[in-house]
Amino acid sequence: METTETLVRLKTEAPARIAAAASTEELDELESEIVGRSSPIAAGRRSLGQVPPEQRRDLGRAINDVAKELEALIAARRAVLASAEADAALADDAVDITLPSRIPSRGTTHLVQQVMDEVVDIFVAMGYTVATGPEAETEFYNFTALNFPPAHPTRLESDTLYLEYGDDPEGVLLRTHTSPMQARYMEQHDPPVYLVVPGRVFRRDQVDSTHSPVFHQLEGLAVDTDVTFGDLKGALDHFAREFLGTEIETKFIPHHFPFTEPSAEMHVYANGRWMELLGCGMVNPAVFEAVGYDPDVVTGFAFGIGADRLAMVRHGITDLRHLFDPDQRILEQYR
Ligand code: PHE
């Protein structure tokens, strides 16, 4: 009798609860409560064994009818909820194709590279060829072939970064300037030579607003039968006017380099002061001898332009560190 009452209650109350289920999840819970393994329906079925045989059939049928009816309601409600949920998921996922697209950030050639490319172009227009050389260099090409005496102070580890690399008898280092390419190139090519060599160089320097252990140079070398200091000044003045404008003032100040004689620095007047831009000079006959050129037949000049300096002078940058800082807000100003 008890089972019958429960069934009647279920039959009258459950349909409203099924209709009120707000999600398939809620409906699942309801389903196991109403028709699941521990539901009154399952309990009723289990109790059939104790029911007198003459009632068993009717009661069994009644249980099955209620179960079927409620299962049908649950299935119908599930279909409605599932389709609403699928619609909502689709709406959530929708892409608004009228939104503006995300613009990928555009990279730039680094300012120092732009400067080197431009300087190379200026010399190529004067008939120079371009070459590059190794950054890990032998002490021979970096110093010895360039007439640095064995005890020259810049050979010391306090100035130069040595590498533990290979078995070169004179040692391997990070080149301190692009000048070793003078010797390498002349060894491989007969004169005349008109050469420009852009590249990265390394010195044991502390970082500050004008120093960096890594910086950039452009080496130049002109060797022919009658090259004069006047040619050197003419070529470098032309370069300065092309790169910094025709109004730029230059001056040459005597200096010393082991591989040039005489030697000079070229300064330019920019941003209210004189700035050293490059070292230069007439190729020392000792260098010609080291590479197998006849110093009685050829003369030449060489120069080494500081590319980072050049960028600073032209763009009024006062701190070298900006050029080695990966801050896009700075870098993207120089497109
Ligand atoms: N190599 C020199 C330096 O790094 C510059 C230089 C190059 C001077 C060529 C003379 C000739 O300071």
Side-chain angles (χ1 to χ4, degrees):
M1 217 61 249
E2 205 193 305
T3 307
T4 318
E5 269 166 32
T6 313
L7 281 179
V8 170
R9 187 148 21 90
L10 209 53
K11 208 183 148 171
T12 43
E13 284 171 7
R17 295 185 61 202
I18 292 169
S23 66
T24 50
E25 210 182 3
E26 212 180 303
L27 190 66
D28 287 342
E29 279 166 27
L30 201 54
E31 180 177 35
S32 82
E33 182 192 322
I34 296 172
V35 295
R37 241 179 296 135
S38 45
S39 65
I41 295 222
R45 279 184 180 135
R46 272 195 302 274
S47 70
L48 281 178
Q50 278 91 59
V51 173
E54 62 277 13
Q55 293 172 16
R56 195 178 294 159
R57 208 169 158 205
D58 286 347
L59 186 59
R61 184 173 295 141
I63 293 174
N64 281 343
D65 285 350
V66 173
K68 259 206 209 119
E69 192 185 322
L70 296 180
E71 272 160 7
L73 286 176
I74 289 169
R77 183 66 186 150
R78 175 168 288 112
V80 171
L81 289 172
S83 122
E85 281 168 13
D87 285 351
L90 277 178
D92 260 9
D93 245 17
V95 173
D96 182 351
I97 57 166
T98 66
L99 284 175
S101 57
R102 259 176 240 153
I103 298 171
S105 70
R106 186 159 56 103
T108 62
T109 302
H110 192 280
L111 176 59
V112 173
Q113 187 62 47
Q114 290 177 39
V115 163
M116 293 205 289
D117 292 347
E118 233 183 278
V119 175
V120 163
D121 283 349
I122 291 169
F123 284 98
V124 165
M126 288 193 263
Y128 286 58
T129 47
V130 189
T132 54
E135 293 177 351
E137 184 54 281
T138 61
E139 201 174 337
F140 175 77
Y141 285 110
N142 198 82
F143 293 126
T144 310
L146 298 175
N147 196 38
F148 282 79
H152 194 282
T154 67
R155 290 190 190 237
L156 294 177
E157 289 197 12
S158 54
D159 286 8
T160 297
L161 296 151
Y162 285 85
L163 300 174
E164 279 176 29
Y165 180 78
D167 45 17
D168 189 89
E170 282 200 71
V172 179
L173 44 76
L174 289 174
R175 65 178 176 191
T176 60
H177 50 179
T178 42
S179 302
M181 273 304 283
Q182 290 186 31
R184 282 186 178 276
Y185 194 87
M186 286 191 282
E187 267 186 358
Q188 300 292 323
H189 300 83
D190 289 329
V193 169
Y194 291 90
L195 175 70
V196 60
V197 182
R200 192 152 45 172
V201 301
F202 308 84
R203 288 184 198 171
R204 195 178 272 256
D205 274 333
Q206 293 297 317
V207 176
D208 65 25
S209 64
T210 55
H211 291 89
S212 162
V214 183
F215 57 106
H216 302 83
Q217 289 188 333
L218 288 126
E219 192 77 10
L221 177 67
V223 180
D224 214 325
T225 47
D226 49 10
V227 178
T228 68
F229 199 86
D231 295 325
L232 161 64
K233 287 184 81 171
L236 291 178
D237 268 338
H238 172 75
F239 145 72
R241 284 194 304 272
E242 284 283 300
F243 191 84
L244 296 168
T246 49
E247 302 299 302
I248 193 75
E249 264 191 278
T250 60
K251 72 178 177 188
F252 289 81
I253 293 177
H255 200 73
H256 171 78
F257 298 105
F259 40 97
T260 48
E261 180 59 33
S263 303
E265 281 179 352
M266 187 175 89
H267 293 224
V268 294
Y269 193 76
N271 308 313
R273 63 196 181 100
W274 287 100
M275 275 271 290
E276 180 217 330
L277 260 201
L278 58 87
C280 60
M282 301 305 290
V283 178
N284 193 316
V287 176
F288 286 143
E289 269 159 18
V291 300
Y293 279 16
D294 184 348
D296 290 331
V297 177
V298 293
T299 55
F301 65 75
F303 56 86
I305 303 172
D308 317 272
R309 284 274 173 92
L310 202 51
M312 290 171 78
V313 167
R314 184 159 79 176
H315 297 280
I317 298 166
T318 50
D319 195 323
L320 177 65
R321 285 169 288 202
H322 286 320
L323 297 179
F324 295 95
D325 186 342
D327 189 336
Q328 292 202 0
R329 291 166 305 178
I330 293 169
L331 298 177
E332 68 189 7
Q333 294 175 42
Y334 303 104
R335 286 201 193 281

